[in-house]
Amino acid sequence: MSSRKIGTRRKIVGGNWKMNTTIDGAVDLAQEVVRRLGNTRNVEVVLCPPFPNLEAVYRVIAGTGLQLGGQNLFWEDYGAYTGEVSAPMLTAAGCEWVIVGHSERRHIMGESNEMVNRKLHAALHHDLSVMLAIGETKEERHAGAMERVLRVQLEQSLERIDAGAMDRIVIAYEPVWAIGTGETATPAQAREAHAFVRTVLGELFGQEVAEATRIQYGGSVTAANAAELMGEPEIDGALVGGASLKPDDFAEIVRAAGGGRAILG
Ligand code: PEP
C-alpha cells in the first residue's frame, strides 16, 4: 500500500505562450503575471515563452518563485542542427522546465514517440523537469481508441526512464480536439483519462510512483472553467495555451488550481 496519497501532489500550472510574443510583449506579459502571481507558494507556476524571449522573461521572473520553461528542445547538445535548441541552451537561459511532445509538435512537425523519448532523456540528463504532453485526436476518441493511444504514447515516450526520474516528469493530458478549440473536456472526461493514465503509470513504474506523479489537464482551460476542472482530485494542474496570454485569466486559473486562492509568500 502506498504511503503517498492522492491530494498530496502540489498543483502545477504551465503557461504555453506558443509563437505569440516578441520580446517587448513577453516582458510586459511576464511583468503582469509577476504582479498577480509573484511568490505564489501553493501552486507551481511555469511560464513557457518562445525561445528568443526566454532570457528577457527570466530577468523579469528571477527571484519571484515563478519558473521558466522551454516549449521544445532537441536531443543533441551542440552541433550542426540548424534551427534547433538544446537542453544546455535552455538551462543557460534560466529554464528549469521544458514541454516535450506537445500535440502541435507531434501533428504539425511530425514528432514521433521515439523522438519524444529522445528529447525526454536529453532534458532529464541536463536536469530539466519535463511536462510530457499526450492526448488523443477526435477521430481516435470516436473510434474508441483513446486508451490504446494514451497507452502507446506513455509506453514509448517513457521508454528507459527510471522510476526515480518520474518526480521530474509531469504528464500533461491534452486531448488534441480540445487544444485551442474552445471545446474543453468535461470534468468527467478528464477524470476518466487521468485515471487511465495513472493506471498505466502504475503498470510501468509501480503504484507509489503513479500516485505521486502529477497529471495536468490541457485543452481550452479558461478562467471560467478552471475551478470545475481543478476541483477534480485526479487533475493536478493545467497546461494553458490561449488563456496564458491574458494575465487576469491566467491568474484566475492559478487561483483555481490553488483551491480558490494563490497563497503568496
Ligand atoms: C496548449 O497549448 O497546451 C493548450 C492547451 O492550448 P489552449 O489552452 O489554447 O487550448
Side-chain angles (χ1 to χ4, degrees):
M1 185 70 187
S2 167
S3 55
R4 298 194 237 190
K5 297 211 165 38
I6 291 174
T8 59
R9 298 182 295 265
R10 189 170 175 228
K11 296 270 204 281
I12 174 164
V13 177
N16 177 9
W17 296 358
K18 308 196 185 188
M19 200 178 71
N20 286 309
T21 52
T22 49
I23 289 220
D24 289 350
V27 166
D28 286 349
L29 180 53
Q31 284 170 341
E32 293 298 325
V33 174
V34 167
R35 197 164 299 143
R36 289 160 180 80
L37 294 171
N39 300 317
T40 300
R41 280 195 289 121
N42 56 337
V43 179
E44 224 171 317
V45 181
V46 185
L47 304 183
C48 303
F51 292 139
N53 306 165
L54 283 171
E55 285 190 61
V57 170
Y58 178 71
R59 279 194 288 276
V60 176
I61 67 175
T64 66
L66 302 178
Q67 299 174 74
L68 192 67
Q71 297 176 12
N72 177 37
L73 84 167
F74 190 58
W75 52 79
E76 299 290 346
D77 290 354
Y78 297 98
Y81 304 102
T82 303
E84 296 295 337
V85 168
S86 69
M89 294 172 188
L90 293 180
T91 55
C95 290
E96 294 173 73
W97 288 87
V98 63
I99 301 170
V100 174
H102 191 279
S103 76
E104 286 149 17
R105 305 257 2 136
R106 291 175 185 268
H107 294 282
I108 303 173
M109 313 300 171
E111 279 187 14
S112 64
N113 289 321
E114 197 244 329
M115 293 161 82
V116 168
N117 178 252
R118 293 178 80 168
K119 292 178 178 211
L120 199 50
H121 280 279
L124 294 176
H125 182 71
H126 289 281
D127 290 331
L128 284 164
S129 295
V130 173
M131 288 179 267
L132 168 63
I134 59 170
E136 82 287 358
T137 63
K138 180 162 261 180
E139 294 71 31
E140 289 162 344
R141 174 170 276 263
H142 286 165
M146 179 191 83
E147 292 192 351
R148 183 177 56 73
V149 170
L150 296 182
R151 176 181 291 280
V152 170
Q153 288 178 339
L154 285 167
E155 286 177 352
Q156 296 184 357
S157 303
L158 292 168
E159 213 170 287
R160 290 176 292 104
I161 298 292
D162 291 336
M166 286 305 290
D167 60 352
R168 291 195 288 129
I169 298 176
V170 171
I171 308 294
Y173 169 63
E174 300 206 298
V176 179
W177 46 271
I179 296 179
T181 60
E183 190 183 346
T184 319
T186 63
Q189 286 171 322
R191 184 193 316 133
E192 183 195 21
H194 282 223
F196 178 73
V197 168
R198 209 174 292 290
T199 299
V200 176
L201 292 176
E203 293 168 17
L204 295 176
F205 301 107
Q207 199 52 31
E208 184 168 347
V209 169
E211 292 202 0
T213 302
R214 293 179 291 180
I215 306 174
Q216 299 169 298
Y217 168 77
S220 297
V221 177
T222 64
N225 61 30
E228 204 185 359
L229 287 162
M230 297 301 122
E232 286 288 335
E234 273 293 335
I235 298 181
D236 303 316
L239 185 52
V240 185
S244 70
L245 299 169
K246 302 175 194 157
D248 283 331
D249 293 30
F250 188 63
E252 194 54 43
I253 292 166
V254 171
R255 259 180 240 118
R261 60 211 174 116
I263 297 176
L264 306 181

